[in-house]
Amino acid sequence: MTPGAALTAGALPGFGLVSAWRERALDLRDRLLGSAGFRRLALRLPLTRGIARRETRALFDLCAGFVYSQVLAACVRLDLFAALRAGPLTAAEVAHRSDLPEEGARCLLDAAVSLRLLARREGGRYGLGALGAVVAGEPGIAAMVRHHEALYRDLADPIALLRAGRGEALAAYWPYAGAADAAGLGAESVAAYSALMAASQPMVAAEVLAAVRFDRFRCLLDVGGGEGAFLQAVAAEHPGLRLKLFDLPAVVERARARFAASGLIVEATAGDFRTDPLPAGADAISLVRVVHDHDDATALALLRAARRALAPGGTLILAEPMSDTPGAEPIGDAYFGLYLLAMGRGRPRSAARLAELLTEAGFAAPRLARTRTPLLVRVLLARPAREASPSVNHA
């Protein structure tokens, strides 16, 4: 019996009784929260007033969340963060540069202040807020916001999306998701999503570099590496590491142009991992934001291919957002759940589920490396079964 199988309802004495009492407690909670009288009482009592107010605010934020996202989208589309990074502006100045009526500009500015995207300054001016300063300093965030226009179109009718199991706008943005012959995609088909991944990759790369000891590897193969932004980040810190990249032919063409412009030497191989073998010989293979784009069967085939391609003693580095991240559960199951549904392929997975796939693919039990921003990316490190534990940077 596995450790997981032991934790069943019949495996522990008294488990059924505890479960029954828990269900009764949850039923009572639901009845109380559904009572208008109880909610009014909770707002009057000092011990429950704070909790009641927080829950009310959380519920309102769920109702207003789309409006908040559109305030951010408007600021990004108007390049407002870049403009205010150069210095505070008045509402009239923002209206002039954005071709908005002053009343409309002020409405947007005040909304952005309430969301901590902007902050009021002296003389009736507006400057960057705490969150706006982050957006201004991370081009990848603005790129993600811009491309969310496609997701929002698919979510205009969420019931229709759930029934169809696939969107239209987002699936077109990621054409390989529905392509029977992904290797045959042309340069124009891959340009938008390749540029997006390249723009957003530095944030993820910094997390992975802080979690993994790349100085212990000789050769790194980045599978599904896009234009090579992750490899460029690795090379900046570990210039002696031999680098390889594997992706679709049209994507590799863009990567080669990027490497040539930067002078970085990378062995780039074109192919489709669903039908072509991965280049062999690397003692480290990275899958950065790749596995969650595919269903279980394809993900398992990819992991098995990585297992075959790894050099003896090699390490697989699997990095992506995971659905069981403490404190970030909505990002995994709500955001990525619906995003990947609209995309038409893939699913968010927990670290435990990914570990199961890795084990099935022939890897030993993986180790979860500690990342600084788990909601952005988590990292699993695995070696083929019967080999030693991989290297983790615990600094």
Side-chain angles (χ1 to χ4, degrees):
M1 179 180 292
T2 64
L7 298 180
T8 59
L12 296 176
F15 183 87
L17 181 60
V18 172
S19 178
W21 277 106
R22 180 177 181 275
E23 288 300 310
R24 291 181 183 178
L26 291 174
D27 289 342
L28 175 60
R29 180 206 63 183
D30 292 346
R31 288 196 298 272
L32 290 174
L33 293 179
S35 165
F38 176 81
R39 293 196 302 273
R40 288 193 294 269
L41 176 63
L43 286 168
R44 289 199 302 269
L45 297 175
L47 292 178
T48 57
R49 184 181 300 133
I51 298 174
R53 287 174 176 173
R54 285 195 300 272
E55 294 300 298
T56 301
R57 167 64 190 270
L59 183 58
F60 186 86
D61 283 344
L62 284 176
C63 296
F66 181 73
V67 176
Y68 300 162
S69 71
Q70 296 313 289
V71 172
L72 173 60
C75 291
V76 168
R77 290 175 59 185
L78 293 171
D79 290 323
L80 189 55
F81 300 122
L84 295 179
R85 196 176 190 183
L89 297 172
T90 64
E93 290 169 331
V94 170
H96 177 73
R97 70 173 303 280
S98 303
D99 193 24
L100 294 174
E102 186 171 343
E103 183 64 25
R106 192 177 301 280
C107 178
L108 174 62
L109 292 167
D110 289 341
V113 167
S114 72
L115 297 175
R116 298 173 59 221
L117 295 168
L118 303 182
R120 290 186 177 85
R121 301 291 182 86
E122 293 182 0
R125 299 177 302 161
Y126 295 82
L128 292 175
L131 298 182
V134 175
V135 179
E138 290 283 0
I141 298 177
M144 292 295 290
V145 171
R146 289 180 186 277
H147 112 278
H148 274 159
E149 293 178 16
L151 174 61
Y152 296 151
R153 288 199 293 274
D154 286 335
L155 284 173
D157 187 343
I159 304 302
L161 173 62
L162 292 167
R163 286 175 175 159
R166 180 184 180 86
E168 295 182 3
L170 204 61
Y173 192 93
W174 302 95
Y176 70 81
D181 178 22
L185 293 174
E188 289 187 4
S189 298
V190 305
Y193 81 75
S194 294
L196 171 66
M197 296 306 291
S200 60
Q201 196 70 290
M203 297 181 291
V204 175
E207 295 289 327
V208 179
L209 281 163
V212 181
R213 291 287 304 276
F214 284 90
D215 58 340
R216 298 192 179 184
F217 302 130
R218 299 182 304 276
C219 178
L220 170 65
L221 167 64
D222 190 25
V223 178
E227 296 184 7
F230 178 70
L231 289 180
Q232 284 186 312
V234 173
E237 292 196 15
H238 304 281
L241 189 60
R242 182 183 172 195
L243 303 174
K244 296 182 178 183
L245 180 141
F246 183 89
D247 212 317
L248 299 173
V251 179
V252 166
E253 183 179 341
R254 294 174 63 89
R256 286 173 176 158
R258 185 184 183 106
F259 295 144
S262 66
L264 184 62
I265 299 176
V266 177
E267 181 183 327
T269 302
D272 183 344
F273 63 72
R274 295 177 298 180
T275 56
D276 302 316
L278 301 180
D283 63 338
I285 293 180
S286 54
L287 297 168
V288 183
R289 297 189 296 177
V290 172
V291 176
H292 67 2
D293 285 352
H294 304 281
D295 60 26
D296 281 358
T298 304
L300 182 58
L302 171 57
L303 296 176
R304 284 173 172 162
R307 167 69 179 85
R308 291 191 295 268
L310 268 175
T315 298
L316 178 70
I317 304 163
L318 194 164
E320 62 187 42
M322 299 181 192
S323 62
D324 63 346
T325 303
E329 291 85 357
I331 295 175
D333 288 322
Y335 173 78
F336 278 107
L338 287 170
Y339 184 103
L340 293 171
L341 181 70
M343 180 176 161
R345 192 167 69 181
R347 66 191 59 177
R349 296 181 179 89
S350 66
R353 178 55 185 150
L354 288 168
E356 291 175 354
L357 290 173
L358 285 164
T359 301
E360 190 174 350
F363 290 90
R367 296 176 59 184
L368 187 62
R370 185 169 59 244
T371 54
R372 298 172 301 189
T373 313
L375 68 85
L376 183 63
V377 65
R378 302 178 85 185
V379 176
L380 281 170
L381 301 175
R383 281 185 173 175
R386 295 181 299 279
E387 293 188 8
S389 298
S391 301
V392 181
N393 184 358
H394 291 293

